[in-house]
Each structure stands twice: as structure tokens, then as C-alpha cells.
Amino acid sequence: MKFPKLKSDAMLAPMADVTDVAFRLLCRKYGAGLAFTEMVSANALARMNKATLLMIDVVPDEKPRAVQLFGQNIECFVKSAEYLEDKCEIIDLNLGCPHSKIIKQGSGSALLERPNKIKEIVSALSSAVSMPITCKLRLGIDKSSINVIKTAKICEEAGASMITIHARTQKQGYTGKADWPWIKKVKENAGIPVTGNGDVRSVEDYERMKNETKCDYVMIGRGAIGNPYIFRQIAEFNATGKYSKQSDIERLNDLFSYLGLAKKHGVQLKNIIFHAQSFTKGMRNSSMLRFKLSKAKTIEEIRCIMEDFKT
Ligand SMILES: Cc1cc2nc3c(=O)[nH]c(=O)nc-3n(C[C@H](O)[C@H](O)[C@H](O)COP(=O)(O)O)c2cc1C
């Protein structure tokens, strides 16, 4: 299945406990072309685990909806994909998570060591459903075993319609610098769209990644936390060649928009506290605010704390 045409080439990365439906909708409002759910266990989804079902919090307003799955069991992937068939437009396969809990079960970046298994999973997903399957990869396990050209090709040949390269190894976790030249090499070898990811925190980084790697799309993770406005800046930059800064008041207003959406869609409190702290990072008196927010027990309480802070 062909990857759909997006309104923007900048996307929001999947981030556990961060990219809830309210945050995704805000990023989409500001112009993100696509916004991925956090990773969801295919094994748990196949068992119809209640908590996991709640993680599939996608809504029609965010079409095309992209749900990310992690796992290692083909049958569970197929069952999960079939369940998702009428709930989203894209399924993304996590081939990059470096957390020990995930690696131990043979999922996420552990699969980078098993190209044949990747092939089996992507083929099974592509045959199971008639929607695009995309893959999010890291460079390899460590600097001495980088195999991203091979794994990216395997994903493509097995039916993936877009690949994202987070240009770090499993061993790097989130440290060190993302090695963008690998994104360029994958792009030169790929017949499907390539998304570059890693260390894009500003419009300048976005532009530099596009120029240096020639990637089709740019995925932004940490740079969007507390700052969904980055997608508006990118859109503005692409339209006019310049972009405007966001004031603290505008940023606080974004947080109130987030709170409204979070209430409407029943987002869990820990995410809301995290976002409230992130949106206000660096503002005057924000350390006291962080403390107060960490004690909040309801979204109403968070709203009151924020109203107080704003005045
Ligand atoms: C808090 C957090 C949670 C993440 N969760 C996921 C996830 O669920 N699935 C995934 O593929 N990557 C996950 N990532 C990795 C990001 O999607 C992204 O690849 C990485 O942060 C590099 O991009 P950045 O430099 O723009 O942040 C996570 C990253 C962070 C910081």
C-alpha cells in the first residue's frame, strides 16, 4: 500500500506517555503532517488487554491515524492489525525501542539482529491488512554492527510503504549525536519514502536535516515536547522563508488548549502533569509550579494551578 500524501513533511514522533490524543491533536492543529500513537504491545492487544485497548485512543479528527505496535509474535501482530483495520489508516512497526524490558522479550531494537524475523513480521502485516505498514528503525545494535541499509531494504521488500530512521544505535539509547549521514545513505538506496529522525529541535535543524539527508519527511520527538508550536513555525517557514517566535502567554494558552482536549478525551493524569510541566519549563517561577503540579490529583486542580500561575 502506498504511503498517503500528507499536508506537511514534518511529523510528531511516537513517544510513550507523551503522544496522547490531546497532544497529537494540538500538534496536528499546528500543522504536523502525521502524529503517531505511543508504542502499543501487539501481544497485549491480541489478547484484548483492557489497559492496552485504552491506549488505542485515536479519533477521526486526526486522520490519517497512525498506531505504532511493538512485539515479536507474528500471530499477535496479525490479530492486532486486523483489530486496527477500521480504527486507523497506518500501522507503524517499532524496530527501535532500546529499553531493556522490551529488548528482553525480543521486541523493538532487539529485532535489528534478526533481519529474517523483520521480514516475516512486515510481510505478515502487509498481507493481513490493506493499509500502509511503516517501520521505525535504528541504525543497528552498536557502532560496529550498523546494518540499517540492509534492514531498511528488507522492510521495503517485505511491503513497508515508508521507513523512519532514528539515526542512533540501540546502545546509544538517547545519548550522543544522531548520525544523519546514515539517513542520507538509506534514502539513496530506498524506493519508498524515508523519514529522518533524531535531534531536530528547531526550524533550522529541520531545514538542515532535509538539505543534508534529502529525506522525504522529518520526524520530531523531544523538540515538540512543550513546544507543539514548532510545527506552526515549520509551516510558516515553508510558506514564507521566515517564522515567528512564540511568547510565554501564547505557550500557556496552548497548554489550556491541551487541557481542554485532555479533559474531552479522558487523557490520564500523569500525562497531563507531564505536559503542564513541559509547557511551562523555563518560565519564571516554574520550579515551584512543577512541584505544585506534581501533587495535583485532578485535571481541574491542574487548571486552577495554571490559572493562578498565568495571573
Ligand atoms: C519519552 C520518550 C518516549 C518514546 N517512546 C517511543 C515509542 O513509544 N516508540 C518509538 O518508536 N520511539 C519512542 N521514542 C523515540 C522517539 O520516537 C524518537 O525516535 C527519539 O526521541 C529521537 O528523536 P528526537 O531527537 O526528535 O527526540 C521515545 C522517546 C522519548 C523521549
Side-chain angles (χ1 to χ4, degrees):
M1 272 291 272
K2 214 167 173 282
F3 190 67
K5 197 165 165 29
L6 303 180
K7 286 193 182 132
S8 160
D9 61 5
M11 305 173 174
L12 175 67
M15 287 183 282
D17 295 331
V18 179
T19 54
D20 53 66
V21 58
F23 190 65
R24 294 197 307 269
L25 284 168
L26 201 54
C27 291
R28 292 299 301 270
K29 183 188 108 182
Y30 274 144
L34 195 63
F36 291 80
T37 66
E38 64 180 297
M39 60 179 188
V40 175
S41 161
N43 293 20
L45 187 57
R47 279 187 272 110
M48 294 290 129
N49 173 283
K50 267 194 190 152
T52 306
L53 289 171
L54 288 176
M55 290 169 82
I56 313 289
D57 58 353
V58 286
V59 294
D61 282 356
E62 53 176 330
K63 277 186 183 179
R65 297 161 291 187
V67 174
Q68 191 190 59
L69 294 176
F70 74 94
Q72 72 306 100
N73 180 296
I74 307 274
E75 232 176 83
C76 292
F77 271 119
V78 169
K79 265 194 185 170
S80 297
E82 285 168 356
Y83 172 78
L84 290 171
E85 181 117 53
D86 59 350
K87 294 173 184 65
C88 66
E89 286 67 44
I90 295 167
I91 293 176
D92 188 59
L93 173 64
N94 182 317
L95 297 170
C97 183
H99 292 293
S100 54
K101 215 173 88 186
I102 304 296
I103 295 173
K104 267 189 208 141
Q105 45 166 282
S107 307
S109 61
L111 287 164
L112 299 177
E113 280 185 302
R114 303 178 65 197
N116 282 338
K117 186 77 180 179
I118 294 180
K119 187 174 169 184
E120 270 182 66
I121 297 171
V122 180
S123 300
L125 283 170
S126 310
S127 315
V129 286
S130 55
M131 69 172 114
I133 304 299
T134 60
C135 298
K136 183 161 176 282
L137 298 146
R138 282 190 180 235
L139 302 184
I141 301 296
D142 60 23
K143 286 248 151 86
S144 66
S145 59
I146 289 179
N147 61 351
V148 68
I149 307 281
K150 180 175 171 186
T151 48
K153 208 52 189 174
I154 283 172
C155 291
E156 178 179 343
E157 284 169 3
S161 49
M162 184 277 280
I163 33 180
T164 300
I165 310 299
H166 175 194
R168 285 190 173 82
T169 63
Q170 178 201 80
K171 289 283 181 289
Q172 271 182 289
Y174 295 97
T175 62
K177 216 174 133 207
D179 204 351
W180 291 0
W182 282 108
I183 300 172
K184 182 167 188 256
K185 284 181 203 154
V186 172
K187 174 64 194 164
E188 284 164 0
N189 279 279
I192 52 174
V194 173
T195 300
N197 172 235
D199 296 345
V200 174
R201 290 169 186 269
S202 64
V203 175
E204 289 75 16
D205 292 339
Y206 155 86
E207 195 197 10
R208 201 163 50 80
M209 180 179 270
K210 290 219 76 180
N211 289 338
E212 287 180 15
T213 72
K214 307 284 179 254
C215 62
D216 301 280
Y217 301 99
V218 173
M219 179 184 276
I220 305 175
R222 290 163 296 179
I225 295 178
N227 184 30
Y229 197 72
I230 192 169
F231 294 107
R232 160 74 56 91
Q233 291 177 323
I234 288 172
E236 216 179 306
F237 175 79
N238 282 334
T240 66
K242 37 190 194 172
Y243 65 91
S244 49
K245 297 258 185 284
Q246 190 183 33
S247 68
D248 280 358
I249 288 292
E250 285 169 328
R251 191 179 270 216
L252 284 176
N253 287 338
D254 275 354
L255 174 56
F256 283 102
S257 302
Y258 170 82
L259 291 178
L261 289 164
K263 185 169 181 192
K264 181 174 171 196
H265 295 289
V267 171
Q268 53 177 347
L269 196 69
K270 74 170 177 182
N271 281 37
I272 301 173
I273 292 174
F274 173 81
H275 283 297
Q277 292 176 333
S278 305
F279 274 86
T280 51
K281 208 171 173 181
M283 289 185 191
R284 206 159 48 87
N285 296 332
S286 63
S287 37
M288 178 50 103
L289 175 72
R290 288 172 73 78
F291 176 74
K292 283 189 189 163
L293 287 168
S294 69
K295 303 278 171 219
K297 296 279 179 286
T298 63
I299 188 165
E300 300 314 332
E301 213 181 308
I302 293 174
R303 185 180 284 282
C304 287
I305 295 171
M306 291 313 308
E307 295 283 4
D308 267 3
F309 182 76
K310 199 177 165 190
T311 51

